[in-house]
Amino acid sequence: MADIFSREKRSEVMKAVKSKNTKTTELKLIKIFKELHISGWRRTYPMKGKPDFVFPKKRVVVFVDGCFWHGHDCRNIIPKENSDFWEKKRRYNKSHDEEVTKTLIAKGWNVIRIWECELKKKNRENLYRKLEFLIKK
């Protein structure tokens, strides 16, 4: 199905879409932080890429990436309608994530990227491995 908007208009519409409903994943991670006695994090910290959590003293940033939006392979679901648009959007997000990660590492930050699916109990081992750096210190 062809897009009803011009390329410029579609870009304008998508730029107006702000992230929302991500709070549930962040709240799940806060609960896990508390269970593991991880402290020292800040939210809404002014930083490139807008990390979900920043540990300023440890120089660690944590991103919780939605599996669909950031192209995780845990569920290869792409809407049938306008699939080219969604695939392009996901490729852009992945590229942007890589750029942000490289920039933050170059500035001396440790970057932890957590997939939304890793917050599920069945995938906790992966999550705990990623958080090991925060647990030990």
Side-chain angles (χ1 to χ4, degrees), residues 104-134:
L104 291 172
I105 289 171
K107 292 182 177 185
W109 289 87
N110 292 298
V111 179
I112 299 172
R113 288 201 171 267
I114 296 171
W115 291 110
E116 175 185 17
C117 67
E118 290 174 326
L119 298 175
K120 295 178 182 176
K121 287 185 181 181
K122 67 179 184 178
N123 297 326
R124 286 286 166 84
E125 283 301 314
N126 291 337
L127 176 63
Y128 292 158
R129 260 185 258 126
K130 289 181 177 183
L131 296 177
E132 193 171 19
F133 178 79
L134 294 172

Side-chain angles (χ1 to χ4, degrees), residues 62-109:
V62 177
F63 293 90
V64 184
D65 295 331
C67 295
F68 172 76
W69 292 105
H70 295 267
H72 191 228
D73 59 4
C74 68
R75 52 180 193 177
N76 293 312
I77 300 171
I78 299 175
K80 291 188 181 1
E81 287 191 32
N82 217 359
S83 60
D84 289 341
F85 168 79
W86 292 113
E87 187 55 40
K88 183 177 177 184
K89 175 73 173 154
R90 292 171 78 191
R91 273 195 312 268
Y92 168 80
N93 287 346
K94 288 172 84 169
S95 172
H96 183 259
D97 293 345
E98 289 172 15
E99 176 189 325
V100 167
T101 297
K102 286 178 186 176
T103 300
L104 291 172
I105 289 171
K107 292 182 177 185
W109 289 87

Side-chain angles (χ1 to χ4, degrees), residues 5 11 14 21-22 24-25 32 40 42-43 46 48 62 72 74 77 79 87 89 93 106 112 127:
F5 294 121
S11 180
M14 291 308 292
N21 297 329
T22 61
T24 56
T25 55
I32 293 167
R42 303 285 177 263
R43 294 179 68 196
K48 180 174 177 63
V62 177
H72 191 228
C74 68
I77 300 171
E87 187 55 40
K89 175 73 173 154
N93 287 346
I112 299 172
L127 176 63

